[in-house]
């Protein structure tokens, strides 16, 4: 089947050939067979006209069934970014007959000011805890049961903190239709026996569905406010990537689809480590020149890491997409990882204390990703090749003085 729209249906016959359009269905027959084969197979029908009438009826019934089964969307997650994406999807599905008009959003149930968060979202149409001040479309329905939310979904949008992905996949494996497709907006990585394990790999292996990825320079509050931005979808099956582009793109949320999915995903994870380094620079008052050096050297480490650990070919051009340098810049200037890292320097509090104090229940990705990257690099004996990634981890978790960020930059392999 080419696409999911019904515009190009792979309807195979005895010859193994398909049909390129719905208009051709009424006249289709296997090449070289003529109509005799059909009369022999359907011997009770006395005339070719009767056969054509039956065929037309079957096509009409089949076409009706396709039209009556729009794709159902479920968003797995409802934090700051998940709610912003829900606003986009909720509005978009109302404009396309291809998608079901109701969007389910799994919400981890919490009590906010004496009310259940799902009740607030479903009645007031606002996620007052994680995306206050932005109304959600009324067709976005908050569902507290994860299995109920995903049970009949055709399209799954994963947008949860990466440390929860194993538990979530274990809970819904076997409950999601095998024909479902997924896209992950999760920015993080995991470790496997061979080192790097991508979040998309975990979902793909546990659930047996195809997974695309979406990463880009997308600060959630700005996206929810409708401010212009770009993003990148990486998909190993281009048809699926284009389907998710149709689901998510708006005039102010412009999407490029590329095949280099693993690199797209790695960019989304690794840039958070660099943003922590940028925050350290801000906390130390190093200035914009030093911060620019952190961004450049961080980008070089991102590229080197991808080339070592990605299984497929890595295209340097992917780093020039929104998922690469654009996301790196915006995160190093406007993201939560930068903000927490700056506070880490100025307050002397731990990362865990600052996360609790400043993020209102949201999770920080940069320090944890640095820990996972550190263990992967240590296993391969490569710590000295990635001094920025290594320093961020050691400052966050091993008590290394934050002032040593500067010496790590001064002696970086890029300068030798």
């Amino acid at each position: 089947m080419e696409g999911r729209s019904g515009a190009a249906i792979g309807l195979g016959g005895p010859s193994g050939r398909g049909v390129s359009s719905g208009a051709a269905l009424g006249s289709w027959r296997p090449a070289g067979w003529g109509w005799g084969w059909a009369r022999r197979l359907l011997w009770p029908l006395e005339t070719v006209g009767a056969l054509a009438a039956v065929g037309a009826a079957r096509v009409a019934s089949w076409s009706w069934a396709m039209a009556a089964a729009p794709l159902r969307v479920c968003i797995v997650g409802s934090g700051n970014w998940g709610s912003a994406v829900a606003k986009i999807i909720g509005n978009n599905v109302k404009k396309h007959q291809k998608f079901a008009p109701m969007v389910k959003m799994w919400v981890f149930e919490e009590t906010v000011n004496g009310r259940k968060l799902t009740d607030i979202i479903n009645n007031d149409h606002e996620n007052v805890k994680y995306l206050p001040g932005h109304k959600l479309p009324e067709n976005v329905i908050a569902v507290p049961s994860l299995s109920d939310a995903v049970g009949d979904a055709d399209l799954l949008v994963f947008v949860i903190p990466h440390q929860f992905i194993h538990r979530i996949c274990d809970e819904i494996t076997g409950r999601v239709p095998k024909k479902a497709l997924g896209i992950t907006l999760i920015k993080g990585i995991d470790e496997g026996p061979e080192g790097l394990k991508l979040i998309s790999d975990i979902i793909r292996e546990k659930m047996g569905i195809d997974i695309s990825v979406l990463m880009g320079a997308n600060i959630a509050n700005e996206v929810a406010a409708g401010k212009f931005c770009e993003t990148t979808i990486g998909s190993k099956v281009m048809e699926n990537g284009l389907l998710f582009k149709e689901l998510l793109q708006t005039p102010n949320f412009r999407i490029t689809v590329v095949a280099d999915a693993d690199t797209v995903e790695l960019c989304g994870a690794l840039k958070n480590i660099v943003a922590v380094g940028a925050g350290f620079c801000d906390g130390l008052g190093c200035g914009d020149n030093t911060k620019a050096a952190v961004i450049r050297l961080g980008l070089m480490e991102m590229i080197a890491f991808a080339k070592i650990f990605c299984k497929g070919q890595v295209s340097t051009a992917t780093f020039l997409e929104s998922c690469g340098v654009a996301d790196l810049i915006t995160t190093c200037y406007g993201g939560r990882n930068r903000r927490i890292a700056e506070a880490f320097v100025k307050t002397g509090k731990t990362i865990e204390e600052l996360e609790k104090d400043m993020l209102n229940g949201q999770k920080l990705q940069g320090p944890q990703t640095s820990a996972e990257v550190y263990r992967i690099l240590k296993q391969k004996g490569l710590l000295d090749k990635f001094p920025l990634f290594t320093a961020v981890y050691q400052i966050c978790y091993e008590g290394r003085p934050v002032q040593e960020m500067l010496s790590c930059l001064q002696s970086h392999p890029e300068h030798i």
Side-chain angles (χ1 to χ4, degrees):
M1 179 177 284
E2 181 184 323
R4 306 272 294 194
S5 65
I9 306 300
L11 191 70
S15 69
R17 297 185 179 181
V19 180
S20 60
S21 71
L25 285 168
S27 61
W28 172 84
R29 64 185 184 277
W33 281 52
W35 280 108
W37 71 276
R39 296 194 66 184
R40 290 193 294 273
L41 290 174
L42 301 171
W43 57 268
L45 298 175
E46 295 297 326
T47 67
V48 172
L51 173 61
V54 171
R58 287 181 176 176
V59 169
S61 174
W62 179 85
S63 298
W64 176 86
M66 287 293 290
L71 300 170
R72 294 161 295 199
V73 181
C74 173
I75 302 168
V76 181
S78 57
N80 184 235
W81 186 212
S83 297
V85 169
K87 182 177 179 180
I88 290 175
I89 293 175
N91 287 324
N92 274 359
V93 297
K94 293 184 287 188
K95 304 171 186 176
H96 299 282
Q97 293 184 348
K98 181 183 295 185
F99 305 111
M102 183 182 76
V103 176
K104 292 182 180 179
M105 179 172 70
W106 173 61
V107 175
F108 181 78
E109 192 68 279
E110 303 177 64
T111 300
V112 180
N113 297 325
R115 299 173 64 191
K116 291 181 178 180
L117 183 56
T118 52
D119 290 343
I120 295 173
I121 293 173
N122 290 333
N123 290 290
D124 300 346
H125 309 292
E126 181 180 352
N127 189 336
V128 295
K129 181 166 186 178
Y130 297 113
L131 192 67
H134 298 278
K135 288 293 184 180
L136 299 178
E138 295 185 5
N139 60 327
V140 174
I141 308 300
V143 181
S145 166
L146 180 57
S147 57
D148 288 346
V150 304
D152 61 353
D154 299 298
L155 303 176
L156 294 163
V157 180
F158 292 90
V159 54
I160 56 174
H162 80 276
Q163 50 265 47
F164 301 138
I165 192 61
H166 283 282
R167 179 173 63 83
I168 294 299
C169 285
D170 288 341
E171 187 171 339
I172 64 179
T173 295
R175 299 179 182 273
V176 175
K178 288 295 184 183
K179 62 180 175 60
L181 301 174
I183 188 167
T184 170
L185 284 62
I186 300 170
K187 296 182 175 181
I189 60 172
D190 198 8
E191 302 163 70
E194 299 178 1
L196 175 68
K197 191 80 169 179
L198 296 174
I199 301 301
S200 60
D201 288 336
I202 296 169
I203 300 171
R204 191 179 292 111
E205 291 171 10
K206 284 182 174 287
M207 300 183 60
I209 63 175
D210 185 70
I211 295 289
S212 302
V213 301
L214 183 148
M215 306 286 159
N218 308 137
I219 292 176
N221 284 19
E222 295 182 15
V223 174
K227 296 181 179 180
F228 180 84
C229 66
E230 299 176 306
T231 199
T232 310
I233 288 178
S235 185
K236 296 179 180 179
V237 181
M238 186 59 60
E239 175 186 358
N240 296 343
L242 293 172
L243 174 64
F244 281 110
K245 176 177 180 176
E246 192 171 356
L247 176 68
L248 288 157
Q249 181 161 266
T250 75
N252 283 327
F253 191 67
R254 307 308 288 176
I255 299 174
T256 302
V257 181
V258 301
D260 193 7
D262 290 354
T263 303
V264 172
E265 186 169 0
L266 262 183
C267 283
L270 297 178
K271 56 92 182 184
N272 284 328
I273 304 176
V274 185
V276 174
F280 290 158
C281 285
D282 288 342
L284 292 168
C286 293
D288 287 337
N289 291 341
T290 306
K291 189 170 179 178
V294 168
I295 293 172
R296 189 191 80 83
L297 294 172
L299 178 61
M300 298 307 293
E301 291 193 16
M302 288 168 59
I303 295 171
F305 190 93
K307 288 185 174 180
I308 292 171
F309 291 101
C310 276
K311 296 175 183 177
Q313 185 177 0
V314 173
S315 171
T316 305
T318 303
F319 290 91
L320 300 179
E321 299 288 351
S322 180
C323 64
V325 65
D327 195 9
L328 181 60
I329 291 169
T330 197
T331 306
C332 287
Y333 278 91
R336 70 183 73 158
N337 288 281
R338 187 219 63 81
R339 187 159 49 95
I340 294 290
E342 181 181 19
F344 177 87
V345 177
K346 292 182 174 180
T347 67
K349 292 184 177 181
T350 66
I351 292 294
E352 291 78 9
E353 289 171 335
L354 292 167
E355 183 182 68
K356 185 177 180 180
D357 292 347
M358 298 175 63
L359 294 186
N360 191 33
Q362 298 178 79
K363 294 297 181 182
L364 199 64
Q365 302 302 315
Q368 181 159 339
T369 302
S370 77
E372 290 152 348
V373 165
Y374 181 85
R375 289 190 290 268
I376 292 169
L377 293 173
K378 186 176 182 180
Q379 177 187 349
K380 301 293 185 181
L382 294 171
L383 290 176
D384 60 326
K385 304 294 184 184
F386 296 85
L388 179 58
F389 288 175
T390 299
V392 167
Y393 165 75
Q394 292 174 336
I395 291 168
C396 287
Y397 295 112
E398 293 188 347
R400 183 175 179 178
V402 69
Q403 292 79 8
E404 292 189 13
M405 266 287 299
L406 293 177
S407 62
C408 127
L409 302 178
Q410 291 165 344
S411 59
H412 200 282
E414 282 292 311
H415 301 140
I416 298 173

